[in-house]
Amino acid sequence: MTVRKALIVLAHPENSSFNHAMKDAAVDALKRNGWDVTVSDLYAMKFNPVLSRDDITGSPSDPSKFKYGPETLLAYKEGRLSKDIVEEQKKVEASDLVIFQFPLYWFGLPSIMKGWIERVFSLGFAYSFQTMYSNGPFKHKKALLSFTTGGSHPMYSTNGLNGDINIALWPLQNGMLNFCGFQVLEPQISYAVSLIPNEARTQILENWQKRLEKIWEEKPIHFLPVEDFDVSGGFVLKKEVVKANADNKYGPTIGQNLGKAVPPDSQVKAGSTRL
C-alpha cells in the first residue's frame, strides 16, 4: 500500500494556541490513518518571509537590474535557490496533501505564511505561464486552508458585518492554491474560537480529526479549467462557455461571474458551481 504524505504549514507563534491544537489534532489523526506527516512550524523555524536577492546563490544574470521572477526561475533550473527555499520545496514536492493552518489576519494570511508562499512557490517550481491553474505543477496534489477567525460565523455571512467569507476566500484559494494547480478541498474554518466554551473547541478538534480520516476521498472545490479560456484573446472566457452559462441565475464562479450573482458557498463547498 502506498503511504500518503502530508505537509502541514503552521503559522502561529504560541504553542498554547488553538491553531497549534488543530495542528496536533491533524498530525495525530493522519498518522493514525497511515499518513506520513511533516510539519513546517514557521515561527519555530524563524522562517524568513522577505524575498530578496539573497534567495539565489551565485551572481544574478543582470546585477544592475535584478528581476526576482526571472532570476529565481534561472536559479531554480540551475539548483541555485537558497537552502531554506529548497528545503521547503522538497517538502511540498514530496507531499500529496498540504494543509495551511493559521489565524485569519486582516482577511488574509499571516505575513510569515504569505512570505513562505511568495518565496517557496517560485516561478518554475509552482507555476509558469505555460503551466498554471488546472494545468499547474501541483494538479495531482490536494490542499486546504484550516484557519481560525476572530469574528463569529454570522459576521462572515452574505449580510454580515465582515461580508461573505466566500469572497474573502477567492484570492486565497483561487489565486494561490488553484493557480498552482492544487485540487482545493473545502476549508476548515473555526469561527470565533476565543469566544466559545471549551466544550465547543473540543468538538471542533474532534470533528477535524473525523474529517481527516477520509480526507483523501473528498472532492475538490470547482474552478473553471484553463481550457475554458481563449488564450489568444487575452485569457477571457470563450464565447461558447459564456453562451452555455447565459440562462444560469449565477455566474460560473465568484471571479468569472459574468456580472451575475456569485454562486452561493462555492468557496466553502465542493462540487460544481454550474447551477
Side-chain angles (χ1 to χ4, degrees), residues 163 187 237 246 252 255:
L237 281 175

Side-chain angles (χ1 to χ4, degrees):
M1 181 180 295
T2 302
V3 176
R4 296 283 183 193
K5 295 184 178 182
L7 170 63
I8 301 175
V9 184
L10 170 68
H12 200 289
E14 297 298 330
N15 291 337
S16 60
S17 68
F18 191 76
N19 276 275
H20 272 261
M22 288 289 283
K23 179 267 295 182
D24 291 340
V27 171
D28 179 60
L30 290 168
K31 285 187 174 181
R32 279 192 283 106
N33 285 276
W35 287 72
D36 182 356
V37 184
T38 300
V39 176
S40 283
D41 184 341
L42 301 185
Y43 283 99
M45 294 161 56
K46 292 182 170 56
F47 183 82
N48 174 20
V50 182
L51 55 82
S52 71
R53 291 190 179 206
D54 293 335
D55 290 350
I56 69 168
T57 60
S59 300
S61 59
D62 186 356
S64 64
K65 193 173 183 180
F66 188 87
K67 294 183 178 180
Y68 190 85
E71 293 290 355
T72 52
L73 172 61
L74 183 61
Y76 170 70
K77 291 179 177 179
E78 296 179 350
R80 295 188 294 106
L81 288 174
S82 63
K83 181 180 178 182
D84 60 339
I85 291 177
V86 172
E87 288 176 349
E88 296 305 296
Q89 288 182 340
K90 286 181 179 178
K91 295 176 187 178
V92 174
E93 200 167 40
S95 299
D96 301 294
L97 170 69
V98 181
I99 298 172
F100 295 87
Q101 182 66 56
F102 59 97
L104 193 69
Y105 285 168
W106 297 104
F107 292 85
L109 302 176
S111 58
I112 195 169
M113 181 173 280
K114 180 63 161 56
W116 186 93
I117 294 291
E118 290 181 358
R119 296 184 66 225
V120 176
F121 285 5
S122 64
L123 180 61
F125 171 68
Y127 72 96
S128 73
F129 296 109
Q130 292 74 43
T131 56
M132 57 182 177
Y133 290 109
S134 57
N135 293 330
F138 303 153
K139 61 185 178 180
H140 299 300
K141 302 178 186 294
K142 297 184 179 184
L144 69 91
L145 305 179
S146 175
F147 60 92
T148 57
T149 71
S152 64
H153 194 174
M155 291 178 70
Y156 292 93
S157 65
T158 54
N159 60 351
L161 179 63
N162 289 337
D164 186 353
I165 189 65
N166 290 273
I167 304 297
L169 285 170
W170 174 259
L172 300 178
Q173 296 189 151
N174 177 70
M176 181 179 77
L177 301 180
N178 182 46
F179 181 77
C180 296
F182 280 113
Q183 299 173 49
V184 185
L185 303 183
E186 296 178 4
Q188 185 75 19
I189 309 175
S190 304
Y191 289 102
V193 291
S194 64
L195 304 176
I196 60 178
N198 288 333
E199 294 79 6
R201 288 194 286 271
T202 298
Q203 189 62 58
I204 290 173
L205 293 171
E206 291 177 356
N207 291 343
W208 178 220
Q209 290 195 312
K210 186 175 182 180
R211 178 187 177 187
L212 289 168
E213 291 176 1
K214 297 183 177 180
I215 192 68
W216 192 252
E217 300 172 19
E218 289 190 7
K219 301 299 182 183
I221 288 170
H222 174 75
F223 295 95
L224 293 177
V226 170
E227 289 72 26
D228 279 0
F229 296 85
D230 184 356
V231 177
S232 62
F235 284 100
V236 297
L237 281 175
K238 293 178 178 177
K239 293 180 180 179
E240 56 265 33
V241 177
V242 174
K243 184 178 180 180
N245 283 274
D247 295 331
N248 291 345
K249 177 180 179 181
Y250 302 101
T253 72
I254 288 176
Q256 298 86 26
N257 54 64
L258 302 179
K260 302 181 180 184
V262 299
D265 285 340
S266 66
Q267 291 297 295
V268 297
K269 296 293 182 184
S272 175
T273 60
R274 296 179 186 276
L275 303 176

